[in-house]
Amino acid sequence: MASDVDTAPLVGRAELVQTVRSALLGDGAHGQTAAVFLTGESGVGKTRLLGEIGDRLREQGAVVLTGSCLDIGDASPLHPLLQALRRFDADLSTRARTSSAVRGLLQMFADETAGPDGAGALLERVSRGLHLIAEGRPLVLILDDLQWVDRSTRQLLLYLLAGLGDLQLSVLAAVRAESLQGAHPLRRVLTELRRLRTVRVLDLAPLGRADTEELAAAVVGRTLSAEAAEQVWQRSGGNPFVIEELARDLRDGRDGLSETLREIFLDRVDALPQHAHAVVHAVAAGVEPVQHWLLAQVLRLPEDELIDAARAAVAHRLLVGADDGYRLRHRLVAEVLAHELLPAERSGLHRRYAEALTAAPGELHQARLAHHWRLAGEPARALPAAVAAAQEAERLHGYAEAHRHWSAALQLAADPGPLTVDRVELLENAAEAAHHCGEHARALALLEELAALRGGEPSCALHIRRARYLAAAGRSALAEEEYQRALKAADCSPRDRAAAAARLAELLLHLGRYADAGERAREALALAENVEGSATEVVLASSALGFSDACLEDPDAGLAVMRDALDTAERAGQPEDVACAYLHLAELLTGPLNILEEGVVVARRGAERVAELGLGRTWGTRLLAIAINGLFRVGQWAEAEKVVAAALRHRPSGADAVELLLARCRLSVGYGDIEAAGRDLDAVATLLAGGGARHVIPLLTLRSGLAMWEGRHDVARLAVQRGLTESRSDDVMILSALVWHGLRAEAEAHASRTVDVDPTAVRRLRDVADRVARKSAGAARPVRSVVEGFLALCAAEVSRLDGSDPELWAVSAAEWDRRNHPYPAAYSRLRQAEALLARRSRVATAGKLLREAYHVAQGLGAVPLTSEIRELAGRARVPLEQREPNGATRGVPTEESDDELAALTAREREVLALVAEGLTNKEIGQRLFISERTIGVHVSHIFDKLQVRTRVQASAIQLRNHRG
């Protein structure tokens, strides 16, 4: 039932409404995701604003889905989205196609089963379904009471806001500010999201005194006296809800109002007719929205009397009626009424709710059933519902919700009544769910209870599980001790012993104790030889042994072990073991061994293999990200773009998406596509809002590099310093790259004179560089080789602070030439030429260096580097195109050919061919899975190389070179 009573005007929020509309559907938000989060205290008007803004957005042609989060603490996964879809479906009348898409998505939820790709696949299917519903129109998802959001919905929001769902989506959500206290999971997410350009978190403040008086006067229907206005202001504190309540009391002539909200609400409830009084209490005890049929079953009133009672409650401004059911006008009403019923009355209400839900035809609402049976004092009946709700949550990959349900089941199992309960099984399920959802302390506590329940000495399996939980919680020393205890346990079977040794080897590897890791890995491999079906242990141990040998002067042995691990995994046929073996082998080749070309081949072959095994979306994406990074380093950027396009077709999420976005961002930074790079970094930050420390240094290194090309050297400095402070990684390869970016930022600041050099930062960076040099001295030769290249760059950057040394830059260029990394080699030649020209010596050599760097940068498509080379060459009057004796211009070195397109890269040729077909930049981007902005960069580069000014001229050259 819709509310048919008058509504107070919206006062003092006009500017806010316009700001939100502009942020969500304005020109700045066109074509990309955007979000606005409204936070504020209870009663400040968040829900009213959501409704007002939603109506305005619908008038602008947007598809608006509206849902609310449940406040019972154990909501079903993705509940607000399901609710929004059901409401939208009920409202559809003319769009049959849209209605079909909505029902198809709802049916997908009903049919969802756990699969090898996990929650990420579910998120992609949701995104695809929303895309069909939108039908090309802007889509806005409005969520109320986000402080109660379930983990699955939170993950969906991060996924969509990261731009991974190929969907132009806007999100508008309201959050009760007082709920975001302590370790509330939404608190950290909002803190991170505040940094993003497309996300705004707006704090909704109470109304000022003038607006308070205006709102009260509108409700009363006349201007308030000074005394009455002062009374409303003092008692309300500007809270619109309380203002309206106090103003209605004034209007209706009710005197002797209490000083507290509780008394105001109780007065209002007491004034209701008897049946309306019962309706308000029933809705307060229910889980909103309370459907009309359910309320009828609970109160057992004749239909006419129930409608009259509900109408009276709505008229007295205590309930809001809508098509999907009844809600309290404000949840504060429930808090006030909670203590007004006798215990027997409260339990009776919950019992009737549970009985009505059980008797209802169709799907059982297990989470609600468990909630109501528990509060009805019927643990024996609540327990099966809680277990069923937990299993349902796990089926939809909602491990946080599953953990809450298992925990509730454990509490209920304390008094199971006639039921026979296996508490050990409940504890095991609850502990594993807690571990999977990141509640490591809770997982450990449940494990201790399990150990106490079993009694006696802890089993080997229990030691292994405790060690896993401790390692995930970051308590590595204790985890190591637990693995040691497992290995010494009398009941440790050969399989358990092999598993303990393999996992201990992996732990030691992460701790940087490569010798110990290798020793344990060998032990695990020896144990696994006598255990059937031990491929997982072999893969784990082999990865530790391979990396250990590679980092301790025996790279060939490490590589051999990894190849054996892959063979073992293929023979065993377990998909995840095969994927893991390919991943570690590719990481070894492209990481410690620095055999990039072979590493790229292995990564791409592995991606194809795991796609055949059904794991392309997760493991396959990570393998392709490794391939992209390898191609970037060896200068095959156009090929790397093709791999990016292939990986994006998997629609990855979570950590897999992070790996891919970081790889794509490296390309964007190199190309100079600042907007695309910024979007990818923002997306990574969004996905890492709930954690992900292993990606901190690469993320901040790229932020620093992007900021330097933008000329924001102070921002680049801060990113590097944050990386040195927040991460304690022992990976000397990524750490040396970060240090180079830090010293380069200081050198750029010195050269541009826009920001003062920070001597303290320079000293710290040099100290870290020295520490990296010492630490890498004991590493394998391939590791030392890469680190030495970055240290050469570091030494040369330091020289820029006091007269750049061309010899140091020559050393750096030679180092990177030897490793076949063209980009840093070209950068080093630019700086070497700059140093020579500054000293006014060897001008001819400087010119040669600039031309070599220019040709490499052009071939790569590195626009910012090319521009800097041109700028320096222009100032020094150095020609970048060398003239041949016959007067011809020698450009980028190519095979002898009359082809006018010889100077173009492979990707630029693809783009030009589509330009000649008459496609726009947007259409080309969609065809090649590249952003429209990146296509613009390619087109500009094509025009420059072909020396044309229009698309028609460029198309003519393309057609001329492909006639016949």
Side-chain angles (χ1 to χ4, degrees):
M1 290 171 52
S3 175
D4 59 356
V5 299
D6 62 313
T7 301
L10 188 66
V11 173
R13 307 299 192 195
E15 183 177 347
L16 178 66
V17 170
Q18 184 56 40
T19 298
V20 174
R21 288 176 62 192
S22 177
L24 296 178
L25 293 186
D27 293 337
H30 181 68
Q32 60 182 341
T33 59
V36 175
F37 295 88
L38 298 177
T39 68
E41 64 177 339
S42 301
V44 80
K46 300 182 295 297
T47 301
R48 172 71 188 282
L49 273 171
L50 294 185
E52 185 77 18
I53 295 170
D55 291 340
R56 304 280 184 90
L57 296 176
R58 288 187 186 93
E59 292 171 3
Q60 289 182 248
V63 176
V64 179
L65 302 178
T66 304
S68 301
C69 303
L70 294 181
D71 63 335
I72 59 176
D74 53 3
S76 300
L78 299 174
H79 167 79
L81 178 61
L82 287 165
Q83 182 190 66
L85 290 170
R86 289 172 182 138
R87 288 179 181 174
F88 188 68
D89 187 40
D91 290 339
L92 289 173
S93 57
T94 59
R95 285 184 175 265
R97 181 177 174 183
T98 302
S99 182
S100 176
V102 173
R103 290 166 188 168
L105 186 53
L106 287 169
Q107 186 61 43
M108 183 274 290
F109 281 109
D111 297 339
E112 177 65 12
T113 59
D117 276 339
L122 174 62
L123 298 181
E124 164 55 20
R125 289 194 289 274
V126 172
S127 173
R128 194 182 304 124
L130 293 175
H131 183 80
L132 293 174
I133 291 169
E135 293 185 302
R137 295 168 289 173
L139 179 66
V140 181
L141 179 60
I142 296 181
L143 300 176
D144 201 3
D145 288 325
L146 198 67
Q147 70 276 359
W148 294 317
V149 66
D150 60 274
R151 182 185 178 94
S152 298
T153 303
R154 196 162 66 242
Q155 289 176 333
L156 175 65
L157 287 178
L158 293 176
Y159 176 86
L160 295 175
L161 290 179
L164 299 175
D166 193 22
L167 176 71
Q168 182 191 346
L169 174 80
S170 297
V171 175
L172 174 61
V175 186
R176 186 180 292 186
E178 59 265 34
S179 298
L180 302 182
Q181 303 296 323
H184 194 289
L186 194 61
R187 186 178 183 183
R188 181 177 180 184
V189 172
L190 288 179
T191 299
E192 290 293 332
L193 291 177
R194 283 178 186 268
R195 303 177 184 177
L196 305 184
R197 293 171 296 180
T198 57
V199 174
R200 301 190 67 177
V201 180
L202 303 179
D203 297 316
L204 197 58
L207 298 179
R209 181 164 184 152
D211 289 331
T212 296
E213 187 171 347
E214 179 183 348
L215 176 57
V219 173
V220 174
R222 63 179 186 277
T223 302
L224 272 63
S225 66
E227 181 181 356
E230 176 66 18
Q231 185 182 51
V232 171
W233 167 248
Q234 291 296 334
R235 291 181 175 178
S236 71
N239 185 292
F241 175 70
V242 183
I243 293 169
E244 293 181 28
E245 292 300 316
L246 294 171
R248 287 191 179 89
D249 287 334
L250 286 173
R251 180 191 63 189
D252 298 336
R254 284 189 288 269
D255 297 325
L257 294 176
S258 65
E259 295 290 331
T260 65
L261 275 174
R262 177 177 177 276
E263 291 173 335
I264 292 175
F265 287 129
L266 289 177
D267 284 345
R268 183 71 65 209
V269 173
D270 288 342
L272 290 171
Q274 179 182 358
H275 292 326
H277 188 282
V279 165
V280 172
H281 275 285
V283 173
V287 177
E288 295 182 347
V290 178
Q291 297 94 329
H292 184 80
W293 69 265
L294 181 58
L295 189 63
Q297 292 291 319
V298 170
L299 293 178
R300 300 167 185 170
L301 290 173
E303 181 69 8
D304 290 344
E305 292 184 22
L306 176 60
I307 290 177
D308 289 342
R311 187 181 298 278
V314 170
H316 281 75
R317 312 296 295 176
L318 286 166
L319 289 187
V320 175
D323 290 338
D324 60 348
Y326 301 101
R327 292 175 176 78
L328 294 171
R329 188 173 181 276
H330 200 287
R331 288 302 299 175
L332 285 175
V333 176
E335 298 172 20
V336 170
L337 297 180
H339 304 289
E340 296 305 308
L341 291 178
L342 293 172
E345 290 178 296
R346 283 198 303 273
S347 63
L349 272 175
H350 288 293
R351 176 185 296 277
R352 291 198 293 276
Y353 267 116
E355 290 171 345
L357 288 169
T358 302
E363 179 186 359
L364 285 177
H365 304 274
Q366 299 291 357
R368 292 189 179 194
L369 270 178
H371 170 75
H372 287 301
W373 280 129
R374 177 173 59 84
L375 294 179
E378 293 278 2
R381 305 184 75 172
L383 179 56
V387 171
Q391 293 169 340
E392 175 72 6
E394 288 178 341
R395 186 176 68 84
L396 291 173
H397 319 292
Y399 292 109
E401 293 75 31
H403 166 49
R404 287 199 293 270
H405 290 309
W406 286 122
S407 297
L410 280 170
Q411 293 178 346
L412 293 166
D415 183 17
L419 293 180
T420 300
V421 177
D422 186 347
R423 189 169 181 81
V424 169
E425 182 181 353
L426 290 179
L427 284 167
E428 288 177 342
N429 284 317
E432 197 66 13
H435 171 65
H436 282 305
C437 73
E439 296 287 344
H440 305 305
R442 176 64 175 159
L444 287 164
L446 290 168
L447 206 59
E448 293 307 312
E449 186 178 347
L450 177 62
L453 185 64
R454 284 178 169 171
E457 289 293 321
S459 66
C460 178
L462 194 63
H463 282 304
I464 294 174
R465 180 180 278 201
R466 183 182 291 125
R468 285 173 49 222
Y469 295 176
L470 286 167
R475 298 160 68 180
S476 302
L478 293 175
E480 182 180 355
E481 292 176 6
E482 282 298 315
Y483 281 130
Q484 297 284 9
R485 292 190 184 101
L487 290 167
K488 295 176 183 177
D491 68 331
C492 198
S493 67
R495 179 179 297 280
D496 286 341
R497 198 175 300 279
R503 291 187 181 279
L504 176 56
E506 186 182 35
L507 174 65
L508 294 170
L509 184 70
H510 290 313
L511 293 174
R513 292 162 53 186
Y514 300 125
D516 293 340
E519 181 181 345
R520 284 299 181 186
R522 290 185 179 89
E523 178 185 348
L525 289 170
L527 290 166
E529 285 182 358
N530 302 315
V531 177
E532 291 227 10
S534 59
T536 299
E537 289 74 19
V538 169
V539 171
L540 284 172
S542 298
S543 66
L545 181 59
F547 271 88
S548 173
D549 285 348
C551 293
L552 295 174
E553 298 292 354
D554 198 355
D556 291 337
L559 185 58
V561 170
M562 293 303 298
R563 295 192 193 283
D564 288 344
L566 179 57
D567 291 341
T568 300
E570 287 283 15
R571 285 196 301 272
Q574 290 296 322
E576 290 206 4
D577 292 339
V578 174
C580 183
Y582 265 114
L583 185 74
H584 287 312
L585 179 58
E587 285 179 329
L588 182 67
L589 290 166
T590 59
L593 299 189
N594 196 36
I595 308 176
L596 296 175
E597 289 83 357
E598 184 180 355
V600 169
V601 171
V602 169
R604 297 180 78 169
R605 184 190 305 140
E608 293 176 2
R609 178 71 178 112
V610 301
E612 294 171 359
L613 298 172
L615 300 176
R617 192 165 188 267
T618 50
W619 293 91
T621 298
R622 294 175 65 185
L623 282 160
L624 290 177
I626 293 172
I628 295 163
N629 289 329
L631 290 167
F632 175 83
R633 290 171 194 152
V634 298
Q636 297 183 33
W637 292 9
E639 185 64 22
E641 279 195 277
K642 294 179 181 179
V643 181
V644 169
L648 285 172
R649 294 189 186 101
H650 289 312
R651 303 299 185 197
S653 63
D656 308 314
V658 168
E659 299 280 4
L660 179 59
L661 292 172
L662 288 174
R664 184 172 69 174
C665 183
R666 289 184 183 92
L667 284 168
S668 297
V669 171
Y671 283 134
D673 191 345
I674 292 173
E675 183 179 340
R679 279 200 307 271
D680 280 344
L681 290 176
D682 286 348
V684 170
T686 302
L687 290 168
L688 296 181
R694 65 174 289 210
H695 300 103
V696 167
I697 288 183
L699 171 66
L700 294 173
T701 300
L702 286 169
R703 278 223 187 270
S704 176
L706 182 62
M708 277 187 275
W709 284 134
E710 294 178 297
R712 300 190 299 159
H713 308 308
D714 53 339
V715 174
R717 171 193 295 155
L718 290 173
V720 172
Q721 293 301 317
R722 181 183 166 195
L724 294 175
T725 300
E726 295 187 10
S727 178
R728 291 173 172 77
S729 174
D730 291 328
D731 190 326
V732 291
M733 294 175 67
I734 63 172
L735 196 58
S736 59
L738 179 70
V739 174
W740 167 47
H741 277 69
L743 290 169
R744 180 183 162 201
E746 298 299 334
E748 296 287 355
H750 174 74
S752 66
R753 303 186 186 279
T754 56
V755 181
D756 291 335
V757 174
D758 185 343
T760 302
V762 173
R763 282 196 300 273
R764 183 185 185 190
L765 289 164
R766 296 182 71 172
D767 288 344
V768 176
D770 291 341
R771 189 164 69 249
V772 168
R774 289 193 299 273
K775 190 164 187 178
S776 64
R781 179 59 202 167
V783 176
R784 294 202 308 272
S785 178
V786 173
V787 173
E788 286 167 2
F790 282 114
L791 293 178
L793 283 168
C794 290
E797 295 288 4
V798 170
S799 77
R800 290 177 70 193
L801 299 173
D802 188 22
S804 190
D805 186 345
E807 294 306 317
L808 290 176
W809 286 112
V811 170
S812 177
E815 289 281 349
W816 291 107
D817 279 338
R818 187 161 59 250
R819 292 162 184 77
N820 191 29
H821 288 212
Y823 184 81
Y827 172 80
S828 298
R829 286 188 170 85
L830 163 64
R831 295 296 173 222
Q832 184 184 358
E834 183 181 55
L836 289 171
L837 292 171
R839 297 185 178 196
R840 300 183 184 280
S841 64
R842 299 165 58 191
V843 176
T845 301
K848 180 182 177 182
L849 291 167
L850 282 176
R851 281 189 288 274
E852 289 175 355
Y854 179 68
H855 293 153
V856 170
Q858 271 208 316
L860 292 172
V863 174
L865 183 58
T866 301
S867 299
E868 191 165 354
I869 294 169
R870 282 180 180 153
E871 184 180 348
L872 178 60
R875 292 200 310 267
R877 298 184 178 180
V878 172
L880 293 176
E881 301 292 346
Q882 191 173 2
R883 295 284 176 179
E884 299 288 359
N886 62 3
T889 299
R890 186 172 67 197
V892 180
T894 61
E895 296 180 0
E896 292 293 334
S897 173
D898 293 331
D899 188 358
E900 295 174 272
L901 308 181
L904 302 186
T905 66
R907 176 60 89 187
E908 288 165 352
R909 288 172 181 253
E910 285 184 285
V911 172
L912 178 58
L914 296 174
V915 168
E917 290 182 19
L919 273 64
T920 65
N921 285 3
K922 183 176 181 180
E923 292 169 334
I924 296 172
Q926 292 171 343
R927 181 82 62 89
L928 299 180
F929 290 89
I930 306 174
S931 72
E932 183 178 354
R933 178 66 180 270
T934 299
I935 295 299
V937 172
H938 282 312
V939 170
S940 297
H941 213 171
I942 291 168
F943 284 8
D944 180 59
K945 290 182 178 181
L946 299 182
Q947 298 183 11
V948 298
R949 299 179 63 184
T950 69
R951 298 170 82 92
V952 173
Q953 293 170 332
S955 299
I957 294 176
Q958 164 71 12
L959 296 172
R960 187 161 61 239
N961 282 269
H962 289 81
R963 285 177 296 185

